[in-house]
Amino acid sequence: DIQMTQSPSSLSASVGDRVTITCQASQGIGKNLNWYQQKPGKAPKLLIYDSTILETGVPSRFSGSGSGTDFAFTISSLQPEDFATYYCQQYRNLPPTFGGGTKVDIK
Amino acid sequence: EVELVESGGGLVQPGGSLRLSCVSSGFTFDIYAMSWVRQAPGKGLEWVSSIFASGGNTYYADSAKGRFTVSRDNSKNTLYLEMKSLRAEDTALYYCAKGFLGHGTSTDVWGQGTTVTVSS
């Protein structure tokens, strides 16, 4: 199975901060990577697919980069509604696997 | 608007069985792969199973193989997960998720989940 190592596991930030989360795959996955946002008590929401493509309706302050084994997810200016847990997921190979999550909370 | 509504969760004793259902609307169900993903209390996301559009191709996590069976009824826009020999470690919120065309087992829209608790 492909292991997805996501870091940090948590971070504290202020509104307006730039936030970056990284995800490393244990083997190359091309650009077959999603980023999801999950708020407490809610289902995950797809934000970015194919490493860099913003899902329809997702604000442009979110972005993704990377290919192969190293990926990054960035929020350019953190907004109050962005406090949540974020997960990366590879779908290159079965089984699809998730990173451990990054909880973004208020400093 | 795409909507996925899961049901069938509940409290079951170890070794017991449950059948989860996911009724879908707002999209052409029979052309999309569908998946089940679970989340244990306070934990991360774990893929459980996927079924492709025709229903002929099914895939399972090692933790589900031999105990869980995924199926679909395209005439009812419904996805199922039959779970047998349940264990305490199967306790989780089970999400149904819609596949993303051309992206293998990737998913784009998830239901709100149904809770499975395995306990004596």
Side-chain angles (χ1 to χ4, degrees), chain A residues 16-92:
Chain A
D17 283 354
R18 181 181 182 89
V19 167
T20 297
I21 298 166
T22 63
C23 192
Q24 185 171 58
S26 60
Q27 64 187 76
I29 59 170
K31 300 189 80 172
N32 296 138
L33 185 99
N34 292 334
W35 289 97
Y36 294 91
Q37 176 193 65
Q38 186 178 34
K39 296 182 178 179
K42 300 293 187 182
K45 175 186 176 183
L46 179 66
L47 298 182
I48 290 172
Y49 62 95
D50 290 349
S51 176
T52 63
I53 302 175
L54 221 55
E55 176 71 326
T56 303
V58 173
S60 59
R61 63 181 180 273
F62 295 100
S63 64
S65 64
S67 66
T69 60
D70 295 301
F71 300 86
F73 170 82
T74 297
I75 308 172
S76 60
S77 178
L78 197 65
Q79 298 302 300
E81 60 267 31
D82 301 337
F83 292 96
T85 300
Y86 295 86
Y87 294 93
C88 62
Q89 182 211 23
Q90 70 80 20
Y91 55 92
R92 177 79 164 198

Side-chain angles (χ1 to χ4, degrees), chain A residues 1 32 34 36 38 41-46 49-50 55 87 89-91 93-100, chain B residues 37 39 43-47 50 59-62 93 95 100 103-113:
Chain A
D1 297 2
N32 296 138
N34 292 334
Y36 294 91
Q38 186 178 34
K42 300 293 187 182
K45 175 186 176 183
L46 179 66
Y49 62 95
D50 290 349
E55 176 71 326
Y87 294 93
Q89 182 211 23
Q90 70 80 20
Y91 55 92
N93 287 356
L94 282 165
T97 44
F98 294 88
Chain B
V37 180
Q39 186 168 35
K43 301 296 185 182
L45 301 168
E46 179 190 15
W47 172 79
S50 295
Y59 305 92
Y60 299 93
D62 286 347
L93 182 60
Y95 292 105
F100 195 179
H103 289 78
T105 54
S106 180
T107 56
D108 58 1
V109 179
W110 298 40
Q112 289 305 304

